[in-house]
Amino acid sequence: MTKYKSRVGAILMAMCICTSSAIVMSTPVNAAKKRTTYVYVTKTGKKYHSTKKCRTLARSKYIARVTKTSAKKKYTACKVCH
């Protein structure tokens, strides 16, 4: 019975090693995860803000969250919060 248990253990161990190697090998080594950054803009403003709590947004009624990439096309960075 102990021979059987050790063989089953060895087989299971080999299966785990093969399975984990296959998973690691199928994942690209230099795969960088892109992370979307959001900023805040107003309807009439000309700046984008990194935080909704920026003091220059204090009186704004309409604050929209947009991607930083799209905001850079129309707005410039706020000097207070950037």
Side-chain angles (χ1 to χ4, degrees):
M1 191 68 154
T2 40
K3 280 187 175 182
Y4 177 74
K5 285 183 180 178
S6 64
R7 284 187 181 172
V8 170
I11 291 170
L12 289 174
M13 185 68 96
M15 288 173 60
C16 289
I17 292 170
C18 291
T19 306
S20 64
S21 296
I23 292 170
V24 171
M25 290 171 56
S26 65
T27 306
V29 177
N30 295 330
K33 292 182 181 180
K34 292 185 179 182
R35 188 170 183 189
T36 305
T37 304
Y38 292 98
V39 293
Y40 301 93
V41 297
T42 63
K43 275 186 179 179
T44 57
K46 296 179 180 166
K47 305 285 183 183
Y48 64 88
H49 307 269
S50 61
T51 178
K52 208 173 188 179
K53 295 180 181 182
C54 178
R55 71 173 187 239
T56 60
L57 291 174
R59 291 181 288 162
S60 300
K61 293 180 182 176
Y62 174 83
I63 301 171
R65 187 178 101 163
V66 297
T67 62
K68 189 173 183 178
T69 307
S70 65
K72 281 184 169 183
K73 294 175 185 175
K74 295 172 99 176
Y75 304 92
T76 56
C78 172
K79 292 181 181 177
V80 175
C81 61
H82 268 279

